[in-house]
Amino acid sequence: MLNELNEQKVVPQSTVLERISALIHRESKTRFSGGSLGHLWAFITPIFWISLVTFTFELIGRQSPIFVDPMLFVATGYLPYAMMRQTITSQSRTLIANRYLKYITPTSISEISLASALLELFNSFFTSVIIFGGILFLFGAPAPFDLTKVILGMFLAWGVGASFGTLVGVIGSASDTFARVVPIVLRPLFWISGVFYTSNEIPTGMVDLLSYNPLFHAIEITREGFFFDYYAKISDYLYPLMCILIFLILTNIIGNMIEKNKLFRHRI
C-alpha cells in the first residue's frame, strides 16, 4: 500500500496551461463532432440571420441609419450579439457537462470555464473576420475606420458573455429552474441591444433605459470603430468592464457558497 502511494506521488502533475489546452481540445472535438459540417454551422447561422434582417430592411423599405451597405450595418450589430449569446450558452453548459473532471483530474471550475471561453473567443473572432471580410469584398465597402476599436467592442461582447455565462453555469449547478429560465429571459436581448438600429435613433428616455444593457455599448463601440465619423450615444467601454467584474465577483461568491454547502443538483 505504501509503495502504491509513493508511486502516485512521483507522477508528474500537469501544468495549468497543459490542462487548459487539453480542455480546449476536448471541448472543440465535442462541439464540432459533426466534422466539416459541424464547423460550417458556425458560419451558416450568422449568415442566415444577417441575410434575413437585411432582407427585412429591403422588404419594409428601411434604410440603414448609417450611410453604409445595410448588410454591413446589420453584421456590426449581429456578430457582437452572437458572440455574447453563444458564449453565454457555452459557459452555462460546460460546467454541467464537465462536472466530473474536477473529481477524476486536478482540474478546477475556473480552468473548465476559461477553456470554454477561450475556445468561443477564437471561434467567434474567426467567424467574424470571415463574414466581415466577405461582406467588404462583395460590396466593395471600405475597411474598418479604427480596427482597434472594432476589436475592443467585440472583445467586450465576449467578456460580458463569458462572465455572465459562467455565473449562470455556477448558479445552474444548484438550480435547474434557474438554468431553464435564463435562456428565456435573454431572448429579448436581440431586440434591445441595437442589432438593427442605433442608439442615436431612439428617444432620450429610452436611451437612458437601454444604456443599462452592456451589450448595447459593445455593439455601438464596434460600429464607431467600423464606420468613419459615427459617434453613438451609448458607447462607454467602462460600463461593460464594470459588468464583467461584477459578474466575476458574484460567480466567486455564489460558487464558494454552493461548494461549501454542497448544493449541487447533479451528484457524482
Side-chain angles (χ1 to χ4, degrees), residues 2-182:
L2 289 176
N3 289 336
E4 291 179 358
L5 291 175
N6 288 333
E7 289 177 1
Q8 291 177 0
K9 290 179 180 179
V10 297
V11 174
Q13 296 292 322
S14 58
T15 65
V16 173
L17 289 178
E18 288 172 339
R19 291 196 295 272
I20 291 177
S21 177
L23 286 167
I24 291 175
H25 179 73
R26 179 181 182 277
E27 185 74 12
S28 178
K29 289 292 185 181
T30 302
R31 190 175 306 177
F32 303 112
S33 56
S36 299
L37 185 60
H39 286 277
L40 279 176
W41 279 112
F43 298 96
I44 293 173
T45 302
I47 289 174
F48 169 78
W49 281 106
I50 291 170
S51 300
L52 179 62
V53 175
T54 304
F55 174 74
T56 304
F57 271 33
E58 296 290 336
L59 195 64
I60 65 177
R62 172 173 165 77
Q63 300 295 319
S64 171
I66 305 173
F67 296 108
V68 297
D69 185 271
M71 182 166 283
L72 181 58
F73 170 75
V74 174
T76 56
Y78 182 81
L79 290 175
Y81 162 80
M83 175 178 280
M84 189 213 71
R85 191 67 180 84
Q86 181 58 38
T87 304
I88 291 176
T89 301
S90 174
Q91 293 297 94
S92 61
R93 291 176 178 174
T94 193
L95 294 179
I96 299 299
N98 297 295
R99 62 189 182 279
Y100 59 87
L101 290 180
K102 64 180 183 178
Y103 295 95
I104 63 176
T105 62
T107 304
S108 67
I109 290 178
S110 298
E111 291 168 350
I112 295 173
S113 298
L114 181 59
S116 177
L118 289 176
L119 176 62
E120 201 57 53
L121 176 65
F122 173 79
N123 290 335
S124 297
F125 261 113
F126 180 74
T127 301
S128 297
V129 168
I130 297 298
I131 293 177
F132 276 137
I135 293 174
L136 293 178
F137 175 77
L138 289 174
F139 296 96
F145 168 66
D146 186 346
L147 186 58
T148 301
K149 204 164 189 178
V150 173
I151 294 174
L152 173 62
M154 301 290 286
F155 184 80
L156 288 173
W158 168 80
V160 171
S163 56
F164 183 71
T166 304
L167 176 62
V168 171
V170 167
I171 300 177
S173 67
S175 172
D176 182 62
T177 300
F178 182 85
R180 292 175 182 274
V181 167
V182 167

